[in-house]
Amino acid sequence: MRRSRSAAAAKVRTQKRSEASAAPAAPTADASTPSATRALRSTSQAGSKSQAEAKPLSEKRRLRRSSPRAQEEGQGEPPPPELALLPPPPPPTPATPTSSASTLDLGEQRERWETFQKRQKLTSEGAAKLLLDTFEYQGLVKHTGGCHCGAVRFEVWASADLHIFDCNCSICKKKQNRHFIVPASRFKLLKGAEHITTYTFNTHKAQHTFCKRCGVQSFYTPRSNPGGFGIAPHCLDEGTVQSMVTEEFNGSDWEKAMKEHKTIKNMSKE
């Protein structure tokens, strides 16, 4: 019984397969026919059109992302890593005024000023310095001097008639430290700062500076006037000193001498 049913089912399956294979196939387009050629052309044109439309769209998106407005709103693309590591540019340096005569409001004196510069062969700065020195240091002369070996050189504005102090304190007596005192603003070290060394003792207020090459003290900072300089007159160049008046100062009793003296403590003031 079972065998007859299996045989019948197998016969039915065989009939269905044969019917399926005998059914006509669906017609396919032949590429060689005109209609098939037109279909292929329309398909390729549609693809090209879609690509052309997609390209401007992507270009617009790229421009929109890189626009300044998008960057301000934080929508722009991040900078490359090598640019992100660079420091921000420095702020612009403000322009500084020059010292040439063209920047000065000289008015009717411009021609005189330029003639003076040419005659004296000076720059604007040099001419201004000469006039200021003549006006501010009226009645003074410019002395120059230095140590024995020439490593230390200075200039100082002072009277041509010098008032010299001859101190007899322990150190001034040994080194014969006769000197005249000027404000610091009237003294200028021209060269030799690297050749100067300093000795101090006791209160360490006095700065005994001297050339470490030749040992000569041509100037120093006195205890009586720490805001000025004591200049050795015998270290000045010749030709600018007219006269010298020497006053003895009892530096061995320094506190008493300072109280009794009326003017020495003010000699470094302008």
Side-chain angles (χ1 to χ4, degrees):
M1 186 67 176
R2 292 179 180 176
R3 291 179 180 176
S4 60
R5 289 179 179 177
S6 300
K11 185 177 180 179
V12 172
R13 286 196 297 269
T14 304
Q15 290 177 357
K16 290 182 177 181
R17 289 176 182 174
S18 61
E19 291 175 358
S21 60
T28 58
D30 189 356
S32 61
T33 62
S35 60
T37 303
R38 286 195 298 271
L40 290 175
R41 287 179 181 175
S42 61
T43 303
S44 61
Q45 290 174 359
S48 301
K49 184 177 181 180
S50 62
Q51 291 178 359
E53 291 176 351
K55 186 174 180 181
L57 181 60
S58 62
E59 184 70 19
K60 290 179 180 178
R61 288 177 180 174
R62 187 181 67 81
L63 293 174
R64 185 163 57 251
R65 288 174 184 167
S66 60
S67 65
R69 182 176 180 182
Q71 291 179 358
E72 292 177 358
E73 296 175 354
Q75 298 177 358
E77 298 179 355
E82 61 271 13
L83 295 180
L85 297 176
L86 295 176
T93 304
T96 55
T98 60
S99 59
S100 61
S102 60
T103 62
L104 300 176
D105 186 12
L106 299 176
E108 298 179 356
Q109 307 303 317
R110 177 176 298 279
E111 185 176 353
R112 288 184 61 195
W113 175 264
E114 293 176 350
T115 303
F116 174 76
Q117 280 187 257
K118 292 179 182 179
R119 186 180 301 156
Q120 301 296 328
K121 298 180 180 179
L122 295 171
T123 62
S124 293
E125 181 182 0
K129 184 179 183 301
L130 176 61
L131 294 177
L132 289 172
D133 288 345
T134 304
F135 177 77
E136 292 182 344
Y137 303 145
Q138 192 171 6
L140 306 178
V141 297
K142 182 171 72 173
H143 305 280
T144 57
C147 66
H148 181 265
C149 68
V152 177
R153 294 289 298 172
F154 64 84
E155 67 180 30
V156 59
W157 285 89
S159 173
D161 302 308
L162 301 177
H163 186 98
I164 309 300
F165 290 100
D166 186 6
C167 180
N168 65 351
C169 72
S170 61
I171 189 169
C172 287
K173 188 176 182 179
K174 285 185 175 295
K175 65 178 180 179
Q176 296 294 294
N177 187 25
R178 290 181 293 274
H179 60 277
F180 63 96
I181 301 171
V182 296
S185 60
R186 297 183 188 175
F187 175 87
K188 182 180 180 180
L189 182 66
L190 300 177
K191 71 170 187 175
E194 69 279 10
H195 295 290
I196 294 175
T197 189
T198 304
Y199 171 71
T200 63
F201 71 101
N202 197 10
T203 63
H204 302 283
K205 290 184 178 180
Q207 304 289 310
H208 299 273
T209 50
F210 57 93
C211 175
K212 56 187 176 183
R213 179 185 292 177
C214 64
V216 170
Q217 174 187 285
S218 54
F219 66 91
Y220 84 113
T221 303
R223 180 183 175 185
S224 63
N225 287 265
F229 288 97
I231 313 298
H234 43 275
C235 290
L236 296 179
D237 300 332
E238 296 181 357
T240 54
V241 178
Q242 293 183 356
S243 66
M244 289 188 292
V245 176
T246 303
E247 177 186 355
E248 294 183 355
F249 183 79
N250 188 19
S252 59
D253 195 355
W254 196 86
E255 286 78 8
K256 181 180 178 181
M258 285 296 294
K259 289 180 181 180
E260 293 177 351
H261 206 285
K262 303 300 181 182
T263 59
I264 189 172
K265 65 180 66 176
N266 297 321
M267 301 196 87
S268 61
K269 295 182 180 180
E270 297 290 345

